[in-house]
Amino acid sequence: MITTDPVHGVPCFLDLGAPDVQAAAAFYGRVLGWEYEAMQGGEEMEGSEDMEGGMFRKDGKVVAGLGKLTEEGARSAWMIYYNVTDADATTQAVEKAGGTVRTAPRDLGEWGRMAQLSDPLGGQFAIWQPGTDGGVELVDAPGALSWTELYTSDAEGAKKFYGDVFGWWYSDMELPGGGGTYSLITPADLPEERMQGGIMGLSKEDLALAGGKPYWHPVFDVEDCDAAVAQVTGNGGSVQMGPEDAEGVGRLAVCVDPAGADFVVLTPVKS
């Protein structure tokens, strides 16, 4: 269960880098029922006057961000931000554990302090030290983030790296049909009911979407998985897997938007 509690190492925000901001806003509006709010008042943050983007809202609450993809050679993808108590200390921990710094810690006005980082195999993620802005305002509800997932060719190495950086602990489960091991992520010092994501080991060939590198993607709660998939395919996206039922989890599908960013839609089992 993901919550908006400001706990070290929990997902607190996510944003999409898209080559066409308006097209992405329209796509996710149809698939997830989001409303897009363009950025206003660029003078409030240094350099933001040159940015194109804004926020996605669901029922008036912030659920994600959207920005123009500007990094040369980068693929369109979702970036997941994890809450930290000290962005500089966490960045140092990333480097000590063998990761790399893509964007050094910097302040975004009074809102908070952020950095963008990579794990040792190149899986990209970000960290957020909250100021006045804690991140997303709605989670674990239809149209909102409900889980995070890492696909990697070195699951054991990833578990050690992220454990060293965030203090996560794990519980492993065997997937049915010989599908391998799935490691469930829980933040440090929190009980199992606060599980927030998983790590899945795959071959490099199965990581073709990111050129063989690991990648994180978000799982979004939806009321009707099949209806959401119909909106994905009907609006230029595609489906990598599903829809299919996962025992004890719900009905899910792995999707790719028209620009190539991957995500999962999940209708969870009713408790």
Side-chain angles (χ1 to χ4, degrees):
M1 179 178 68
I2 292 177
T3 78
T4 55
D5 294 344
V7 176
H8 182 80
V10 304
C12 63
F13 189 67
L14 69 163
D15 60 23
L16 174 67
D20 186 330
V21 167
Q22 294 305 318
F27 174 82
Y28 286 97
R30 295 184 184 112
V31 173
L32 296 173
W34 287 350
E35 296 178 352
Y36 175 63
E37 182 180 276
M39 182 182 297
Q40 302 293 327
E43 70 279 2
E44 295 178 5
M45 186 174 68
E46 182 181 355
S48 65
E49 64 274 7
D50 298 325
M51 295 171 62
E52 180 184 355
M55 295 294 175
F56 284 118
R57 293 182 180 270
K58 177 72 173 179
D59 300 328
K61 296 181 178 180
V62 172
V63 289
L66 173 62
K68 179 80 170 179
L69 183 65
T70 57
E71 185 179 346
E72 186 175 351
R75 77 177 183 98
S76 182
W78 283 98
M79 180 69 64
I80 298 172
Y81 293 68
Y82 293 95
N83 180 292
V84 295
T85 54
D86 186 327
D88 296 86
T90 301
T91 298
Q92 292 172 7
V94 165
E95 293 182 294
K96 182 179 180 180
T100 56
V101 179
R102 292 181 296 108
T103 302
R106 66 186 183 104
D107 291 326
L108 298 183
E110 64 181 10
W111 301 323
R113 188 166 176 80
M114 62 84 70
Q116 294 193 351
L117 310 159
S118 296
D119 67 28
L121 291 186
Q124 298 184 356
F125 64 101
I127 55 174
W128 180 251
Q129 179 184 333
T132 59
D133 189 339
V136 294
E137 299 169 343
L138 181 70
V139 293
D140 271 339
L145 181 70
S146 63
W147 194 252
T148 64
E149 204 164 53
L150 174 68
Y151 288 169
T152 179
S153 59
D154 183 6
E156 290 304 312
K159 289 165 63 176
K160 184 178 189 314
F161 171 80
Y162 290 102
D164 289 344
V165 170
F166 292 124
W168 292 346
W169 64 277
Y170 309 95
S171 54
D172 291 344
M173 58 178 286
E174 294 302 315
L175 296 175
T181 301
Y182 191 84
S183 298
L184 299 158
I185 301 166
T186 303
D189 303 323
L190 291 180
E192 282 193 351
E193 55 263 29
R194 286 293 303 274
M195 285 177 183
Q196 64 188 35
I199 295 175
M200 179 68 188
L202 296 171
S203 69
K204 287 188 176 181
E205 291 73 23
D206 291 328
L207 301 173
L209 196 65
K213 293 182 179 180
Y215 56 92
W216 286 95
H217 60 211
V219 178
F220 297 117
D221 186 308
V222 293
E223 292 182 345
D224 185 328
C225 178
D226 294 78
V229 166
Q231 289 294 331
V232 168
T233 57
N235 288 281
S238 60
V239 178
Q240 288 189 313
M241 185 192 77
E244 63 182 44
D245 295 319
E247 185 178 357
V249 176
R251 188 162 177 80
L252 59 86
V254 182
C255 303
V256 179
D257 72 19
D262 58 300
F263 62 99
V264 176
V265 290
L266 167 68
T267 301
V269 293
K270 296 188 183 299
S271 56

